[in-house]
Amino acid sequence: LAMGLAITPSELQNAMKSSSTVLVLALNSLCCFVMMPLLALLVSNLLQLGVNEQAGTILLGCVSGGQASNLFALLAGGDVSLSVICTLSTTLLGAFVTPLLIRLLLGTYAPVDGIDVLKSVCSVVLLPVLTGLVLGCGLSGDNNCSSKSKLHIIPSKFLNMIREWCPTVGVGAT
C-alpha cells in the first residue's frame, strides 16, 4: 500500500517504457535465478552443511527477494516504480523457474501451483500497490495523475504528508 501511495501511474508507465527497463529486468532475473542459487550452493558446500540445511539454503537462494526491495528503493530515494516492476516480474517468473532450479540443484521435484502463486502475487503485490495508486491518485488533485482519474477528495497537501510517512509505514509492515 505504501509503495502505491509513493508512486504515480505516470511514474509506473515511464518505468515500463524506459529503454533500460529490459536490461534491468534481465539483470534482476539473472541475479535472482542464477547468481543467488549458485551462491547458495557454494556457501552450503563450503560450510559442509547437512542435507537438510543444504536443501534449505539452496531453496532460499532459489526464491527471489520480495517486498523488502521495494521498501529499500523507497528509503534510498530510488526508482520505486522500477523496483515494483522488478519484484512483480521475478515473483511471476519464480513460479516457473524455482521448481526447475530445485530439480537441477537438489535433484528433487517441488510442485508449485501456478494459480496459487498468481493469487498470492495479486493479494501481496498487485492489490496493495493498486489500492495505493487509487488512493494516491484517484482521490487527489495530484498533478502527476491523469485528470480523468482525479476525484479531488483528498487535498494534495494532505496526500504529500501521507506520502512522507510511507517509508515508516513500510518498515513497520515489513
Side-chain angles (χ1 to χ4, degrees):
L1 183 65
M3 296 309 115
L5 284 170
I7 60 177
T8 64
S10 60
E11 291 171 339
L12 205 52
Q13 189 174 22
N14 288 341
M16 286 190 278
K17 287 182 176 180
S18 173
S19 60
S20 64
T21 299
V22 173
L23 176 62
V24 170
L25 288 173
L27 286 172
N28 185 47
S29 296
L30 186 70
C31 287
C32 286
F33 301 117
V34 177
M35 186 184 81
M36 289 301 296
L38 291 177
L39 282 174
L41 181 64
L42 177 67
V43 166
S44 64
N45 285 332
L46 286 174
L47 295 176
Q48 300 176 347
L49 298 177
V51 175
N52 291 337
E53 291 82 9
Q54 184 178 33
T57 302
I58 291 171
L59 183 58
L60 278 174
C62 291
V63 177
S64 65
Q67 298 305 313
S69 63
N70 297 336
L71 176 62
F72 286 114
L74 179 64
L75 290 171
D79 190 339
V80 178
S81 299
L82 183 58
S83 180
V84 168
I85 292 168
C86 285
T87 300
L88 184 61
S89 68
T90 54
T91 302
L92 291 172
L93 192 57
F96 304 102
V97 176
T98 301
L100 296 173
L101 287 169
I102 292 169
R103 178 75 172 179
L104 179 69
L105 298 174
L106 294 174
T108 188
Y109 173 72
V112 175
D113 186 340
I115 299 298
D116 282 346
V117 169
L118 188 56
K119 286 179 187 176
S120 175
V121 168
C122 287
S123 66
V124 174
V125 180
L126 284 179
L127 186 62
V129 169
L130 291 176
T131 301
L133 281 169
V134 167
L135 288 174
C137 232
L139 302 179
S140 76
D142 194 327
N143 292 332
N144 291 320
C145 301
S146 162
S147 59
K148 294 177 188 174
S149 66
K150 295 179 196 176
L151 298 177
H152 303 286
I153 294 172
I154 301 175
S156 291
K157 187 176 182 179
F158 180 69
L159 183 63
N160 288 335
M161 286 176 22
I162 293 171
R163 284 184 174 141
E164 288 178 18
W165 283 95
C166 285
T168 305
V169 171
V171 168
T174 302

